[in-house]
Every structure is written in structure tokens, then in C-alpha cells.
Amino acid sequence: MFQGHPYHSLQVPSDEPFKLKPSPGKGWGAFATRRIERGSIIFTEKPLFVIRKPHTEITEGYVWAAFQQLSPSEKEQFLCLRDNGSRSFTYMEEAFAENSFAISRDNSLRSQGTSIHGLFLLHSRFNHSCIPNSKIPNTDQEIITSFATQDIAAGHEITFCYNTDFECRLRHERHQALRFVCDCKACLIDTQFQQLSDMRRTLIRGLQYLTLGVDLNGQKQQMVSPIIFDPYLKKAAETFQIPLSARLIYNLFIIVLLEEEGLPKNNFISEALLQALLGDSERILCEELCSMRFTT
Ligand SMILES: C[S@@+](CC[C@H](N)C(=O)[O-])C[C@H]1O[C@@H](n2cnc3c(N)ncnc32)[C@H](O)[C@@H]1O
């Protein structure tokens, strides 16, 4: 069924640690061909082409103009891209939106805080997970690099998170933003892990509010269904009246919750912070609280 698939024309250099193949229910994806250590670089990629426009201004005309500049083999590679590995795109604009990443800020757009966008043939084959094992950080160059956030065993799919604030978003909010139904461990409905995942992500959002005084959109929350119910605590957070020591503890809780969720920031740092900032009895209590409430 997949033998004549157009993605066979997408060349992954032989020394890279992954290959492309079908990923059940998700079209195609990237799979590790050898073990990839946490923290190591997976792949660095140059864009096929770049459009120096803010996301909202990229029209069919701009993509067509950029396409005209490509060599015949590059044109072929762009045209082979599929929506979820099967259906061809109707518009070039759609193909660009689905397979591009925001990259370095263009000088003329810098004042507007807007990025330019590059089309990346291979990194855009990586599927999404709400508990990913890789990350593609923002860059100030026109290349993008992925690195492993977890150890990835040979044969396992390499995934990254398509959105930046998903660690604070519930399953249904994530799916609304993605416009597809993710099937990762945090999204598998009616599982204990999924229910705990929603609880953890709500708690992380609340703890972040207490620490930063604003919600994910950078705004104070309205009183209708606030994330922090206690109006005094909410006011204290918004006016930065919460003591530094308390904010440190909230941050530690965030780190522990992220680790429980499978989204470790850095085990070493959280371990060190726990050791450094809490006494033995508080640390044990903290660990017990976390395992009591969040073990699956
Ligand atoms: C940029 S493409 C990723 C590569 C794509 N699978 C392919 O075959 O070319 C993004 C699309 O892949 C699919 N996809 C990615 N992650 C997924 C996931 N976790 N669950 C289901 N579908 C996913 C969705 O259809 C999404 O619109």
C-alpha cells in the first residue's frame, strides 16, 4: 500500500538517526533508527524556501512566487507533500501552512515582533505528541534543529509538541487548537493517566498564575470561572504580594508536576532545587504528596 508513496522521494541523509514511515492513524512519521540520548541533537535542517511575511499575510500568491524559484527536483519534493500522508493539498498555501515553521525574525518585521516562515520538508514529517520526546526550539537563524528531551529507543516514533502552552491546557483545549484528535498517552480518553493529566495541567496553570500574576495570554483573569478561586490569593498574585519563598515552592511543584506528566524540564535541576531549598522532612512530604495524588 505504501510502496509507491510520494514520500519515498523525500531523502533523509543516511547518517541521520531516523527514517520516515507510516505511523498508524497519523499518516507518516519519523522513527528513530538508533538510540537517541536525551539532550542530544537529532537533526538540523535548512528550509526549502522562506517567505518573509507574518503568518497572517501569507497568501497563495506568495507561495506560488517562492515555488517558481525552486529547481525541478525541489518543486517535486514540495508537490509530494501530503495532508496526513494521503490526500494531496488543494492549495499551495495549505501545504505551506502545514509544513512550515516560524524561524528567525526578519529585521523589517522585528519591530512588529513577527517571525518569517520557512518550509521544512523533513521536520514537518514529525508528528505531534502532548508528551513529546523531542523539541524544536525557536531559533535566530534560518535553520531549525531538533533535540531529544527524553531517551528515544531505536524504532520509537520521534514527536514534538506543536504548541507552546500545552503543558497548561486540558485535552479538549489541545484538540481544539490542533484541529485533530491526538492519541498520545495524555489524550487517551477514560484512562487514569488522562484524568490525572488534566488535573496536573490545571494545577500547573494555577501555580503559574500564582507565580507570574497573569494567565497564559499574559492577561489577568476575569472573575468568571477564574483559575484561582480565592479572590484574596488571586489579588495577591496579580499585585506580586506573594512572598518569594512561596513562589519558589510553587515553581518546585510545577517542576515535579511536569516530571510526573512526562514533561521533564531537567531532572537534575529539580532534584538539586528540592535538596537545596527544602529540609528533609519537607522534601519527603512534597514527594509523598506528589506520589499520593499523581501516581497512576
Ligand atoms: C505536519 S503533518 C505531520 C506529518 C504527517 N503525519 C504526514 O504524514 O505528512 C501534521 C499532520 O499529521 C497528523 N498528526 C500529527 N500528529 C498527530 C497525532 N498525535 N495524532 C493524530 N494525527 C496527528 C495530523 O493530521 C496533522 O494535521
Side-chain angles (χ1 to χ4, degrees), residues 7 25-28 82-85 98-99 124-129 162 180-183:
Y7 282 177
K26 303 176 208 166
W28 278 45
R82 291 289 181 275
D83 185 359
N84 202 10
E98 185 82 4
N99 295 285
S124 59
R125 306 279 64 71
F126 287 27
N127 284 318
H128 162 87
S129 172
Y162 285 3
F180 59 79
V181 176
C182 174
D183 67 348

Side-chain angles (χ1 to χ4, degrees), residues 81-208:
L81 298 177
R82 291 289 181 275
D83 185 359
N84 202 10
S86 52
R87 192 179 61 90
S88 310
F89 289 102
T90 315
Y91 298 103
M92 285 193 169
E93 188 186 337
E94 268 183 331
F96 186 78
E98 185 82 4
N99 295 285
S100 60
F101 288 78
I103 47 174
S104 71
R105 290 174 196 280
D106 184 86
N107 277 345
S108 60
L109 298 174
R110 197 181 291 271
S111 57
Q112 302 163 28
T114 315
S115 297
I116 63 174
H117 292 81
L119 186 118
F120 292 88
L121 292 167
L122 296 179
H123 270 114
S124 59
R125 306 279 64 71
F126 287 27
N127 284 318
H128 162 87
S129 172
C130 304
I131 307 184
N133 53 21
S134 81
K135 192 173 167 69
I136 304 176
N138 291 339
T139 164
D140 258 349
Q141 299 162 349
E142 283 195 10
I143 55 167
I144 59 172
T145 299
S146 48
F147 72 92
T149 53
Q150 321 244 7
D151 292 336
I152 307 173
H156 281 210
E157 180 160 12
I158 305 172
T159 55
F160 74 100
C161 183
Y162 285 3
N163 286 53
T164 49
D165 62 9
F166 272 14
E167 55 202 29
C168 305
R169 295 280 187 197
L170 302 176
R171 177 185 184 273
H172 73 90
E173 295 174 317
R174 300 197 298 272
H175 289 184
Q176 215 170 9
L178 289 167
R179 287 181 284 136
F180 59 79
V181 176
C182 174
D183 67 348
C184 76
K185 191 177 170 191
C187 290
L188 281 185
I189 202 93
D190 292 335
T191 62
Q192 198 186 12
F193 187 93
Q194 192 279 313
Q195 287 161 4
L196 290 168
S197 166
D198 270 4
M199 283 170 56
R200 281 191 283 262
R201 289 176 198 239
T202 306
L203 270 173
I204 292 170
R205 184 167 171 184
L207 288 165
Q208 281 196 0

Side-chain angles (χ1 to χ4, degrees), residues 272-290:
L273 275 172
L274 276 174
Q275 297 289 349
L277 293 173
L278 303 177
D280 264 350
S281 54
E282 289 152 298
R283 184 170 50 77
I284 289 163
L285 178 68
C286 178
E287 282 170 358
E288 269 174 8
L289 271 173
C290 290

